[in-house]
Amino acid sequence: MLLHSGVGGSGVVATELGLRLAARGHEVHLIANAVPFRLADERHDNVFFHQIGSMTYPLFDAPLTTLAEASKVVEVVEQYGIDVIHAHYAIPHAAAALIARAMVRTRPIPAIVTTLHGTDVTLVGLDAAYLRATQWSIESSDAVSAVSRYLADTTINDMGVRRDTIHVVYNAVDTMRFRPGNDPSLRSRYASDSEHLLVHVSNFRPVKRIEDVIRMFALVHAELPARLLMIGDGPDRPRAVAVAESLDVLDRVRFLGSFPRIERLLACADLFVLPSSKESFGLSALEAMASGVPVIASNIGGLSEVIEHGVSGFLHDVGDTAAMASSALELLHDRHRMAAFRHAARHRAMHVFDPTANVGAYLDLYERALGHVRPDG
Ligand code: GMT
């Protein structure tokens, strides 16, 4: 598995898939710049971590990370006899995998599977600086998957990738780990019994529109006593703090920073808020739903494949914080409706985004890719 190690859904998806494959007896090697976020507190005999080297040199503007990654992949493939290289996020991982395969001296050569997660297609990959490299990486992989139908279609239609098939494999959630079960003593640290608790989790990048979380929260709090937990960190945090201050709700908002085990906190929430401008899937929303927390989100990307509008949450136009607040208040005012939404959210998470089915889908994809690269077995 080649993955981004920081806070972010693609790294979480890759790490959790690796752990599930290892639990089934497969040997899994994770290759990243640093220990992946959700691997930090896990240990499994079949899981190995290899750190990509980083050498600076006055002639280079920055470390040549894609080449360093390719070199590390070659080392791991030649030492361990890897069958499948699974790149999570097209660039640079799929490109590094393809470069590595061209260098490998041992046989048989590994198959390359690329999973598209989001901005590798909808933002970064579309930029002229990376477009051809991204197209080539996707077209040259032996099998390609996307985490939503929306993302698969966008890759073919908007990015102009020439490929017959991009398989859709929805992300999964561990519904034993993420489950309802409010811990009153934990919740009481952030909100009293008479206050409603709203939560947002992300890496606070511009696509997450975290200022909208604050604006929407301020409208909710104007009508009902409420608190907001902002979990995560990133470049837009100072602006969100400034907006909270200007709307006079800073004392109602707690910025907790980022940490890997958020399940106990999520289970304390009344609503989860995700007003992103781009979101190919929305793993954090799914984790909230598994915790029995309805989601108020924007109606973009793959979010409508995860959240059913009017059943397990509400979807509104990007930036329409008034509509988002009004939907939130609708649920917070109506205990029975809230209970129905909580149940529907949990039910959907359990039945549509099941980890066992997800591992099975990826194993099928690995077989397909191996059939492509090693047709004679
Ligand atoms: O594509 C990104 O912006 C980064 C990526 C990540 O590593 O967090 O997020 C994407 O992949 C997640 C896991 O598949 C999805 O849940 C997110 O929706 C997706 N982010 C975007 O599309 C903005």
Side-chain angles (χ1 to χ4, degrees):
M1 302 274 176
L2 313 188
L3 64 147
H4 293 296
S5 57
V7 184
S10 63
V12 168
V13 168
T15 304
E16 293 190 343
L17 174 62
L19 290 166
R20 287 180 195 126
L21 287 166
R24 287 190 177 204
H26 300 280
E27 187 175 300
V28 179
H29 295 260
L30 303 177
I31 298 179
N33 283 325
V35 177
F37 185 59
R38 281 229 180 132
L39 189 68
D41 54 353
E42 304 281 351
R43 175 76 201 114
H44 196 290
D45 288 342
N46 287 350
V47 178
F48 300 78
F49 167 65
H50 309 273
Q51 187 164 14
I52 299 167
S54 167
M55 186 223 187
T56 51
Y57 187 62
L59 220 55
F60 306 153
D61 292 335
L64 306 180
T65 49
T66 307
L67 290 182
E69 180 172 3
S71 298
K72 180 57 74 179
V73 173
V74 172
E75 192 185 310
V76 173
V77 168
E78 291 184 345
Q79 187 175 350
Y80 295 93
I82 301 296
D83 294 307
V84 176
I85 305 173
H86 190 167
H88 285 267
Y89 206 86
I91 43 174
H93 303 314
L98 288 158
I99 296 168
R101 184 161 73 181
M103 290 193 273
V104 164
R105 292 182 177 145
T106 50
R107 291 292 179 268
I109 60 167
I112 295 175
V113 173
T114 295
T115 291
L116 308 172
H117 281 273
T119 48
D120 45 354
V121 168
T122 58
L123 199 73
V124 197
L126 282 181
D127 190 284
Y130 297 118
L131 179 62
R132 290 295 290 122
T134 312
Q135 286 173 332
W136 171 76
S137 304
I138 298 171
E139 288 165 0
S140 309
S141 298
D142 298 303
V144 177
S145 69
V147 297
S148 61
R149 167 58 46 204
Y150 154 81
L151 188 59
D153 292 346
T154 302
T155 309
I156 305 275
N157 301 332
D158 295 2
M159 188 179 244
V161 162
R162 297 177 189 178
R163 253 202 105 88
D164 291 340
T165 320
I166 293 182
H167 302 267
V168 176
V169 181
Y170 284 144
N171 292 327
V173 63
D174 178 351
T175 51
M176 291 303 287
R177 177 171 178 177
F178 291 91
R179 59 180 173 189
N182 174 21
D183 171 351
S185 69
L186 180 63
R187 191 184 193 280
S188 67
R189 282 193 219 163
Y190 304 108
S192 71
D193 286 349
S194 59
E195 291 169 327
H196 299 284
L197 188 59
L198 278 66
V199 172
H200 169 81
V201 180
S202 78
N203 42 23
F204 292 16
R205 287 176 304 151
V207 289
K208 301 294 175 181
R209 294 183 67 97
I210 61 170
E211 290 171 44
D212 282 0
V213 180
I214 308 286
R215 290 184 202 288
M216 174 270 194
F217 170 76
L219 293 171
V220 170
H221 179 61
E223 232 179 270
L224 283 177
R227 300 266 180 185
L228 172 65
L229 292 185
M230 297 288 286
I231 304 175
D233 210 343
D236 282 358
R237 177 174 166 158
R239 276 169 51 194
V241 171
V243 171
E245 204 162 17
S246 72
L247 296 175
D248 204 19
V249 290
L250 190 54
D251 61 333
R252 315 293 302 178
V253 184
R254 292 283 290 274
F255 288 84
L256 297 185
S258 51
F259 47 92
R261 299 208 76 99
I262 52 167
E263 54 272 25
R264 286 179 60 235
L265 268 180
L266 271 182
C268 295
D270 295 306
L271 288 174
F272 187 84
V273 189
L274 193 64
S276 315
S277 59
K278 290 183 189 297
E279 206 67 71
S280 66
F281 183 86
L283 186 66
S284 59
L286 177 60
E287 290 177 343
M289 288 165 67
S291 310
V293 181
V295 179
I296 309 288
S298 39
N299 190 14
I300 39 93
L303 284 175
S304 61
E305 294 171 63
V306 179
I307 304 151
E308 293 161 295
H309 177 70
V311 179
S312 48
F314 287 101
L315 300 169
H316 292 291
D317 290 347
V318 174
D320 194 347
T321 50
M324 291 178 194
S326 150
S327 289
L329 286 163
E330 204 178 309
L331 285 184
L332 295 174
H333 274 303
D334 185 340
R335 193 177 291 198
H336 296 295
R337 192 128 190 258
M338 175 64 103
F341 270 62
R342 279 184 166 282
H343 180 267
R346 169 79 181 163
H347 187 270
R348 185 163 173 77
M350 286 180 78
H351 294 96
V352 182
F353 305 99
D354 170 50
T356 308
N358 172 271
V359 176
Y362 278 121
L363 284 170
D364 285 350
L365 209 59
Y366 295 169
E367 289 300 336
R368 199 181 281 269
L370 281 165
H372 186 252
V373 75
R374 301 176 192 170
D376 302 325

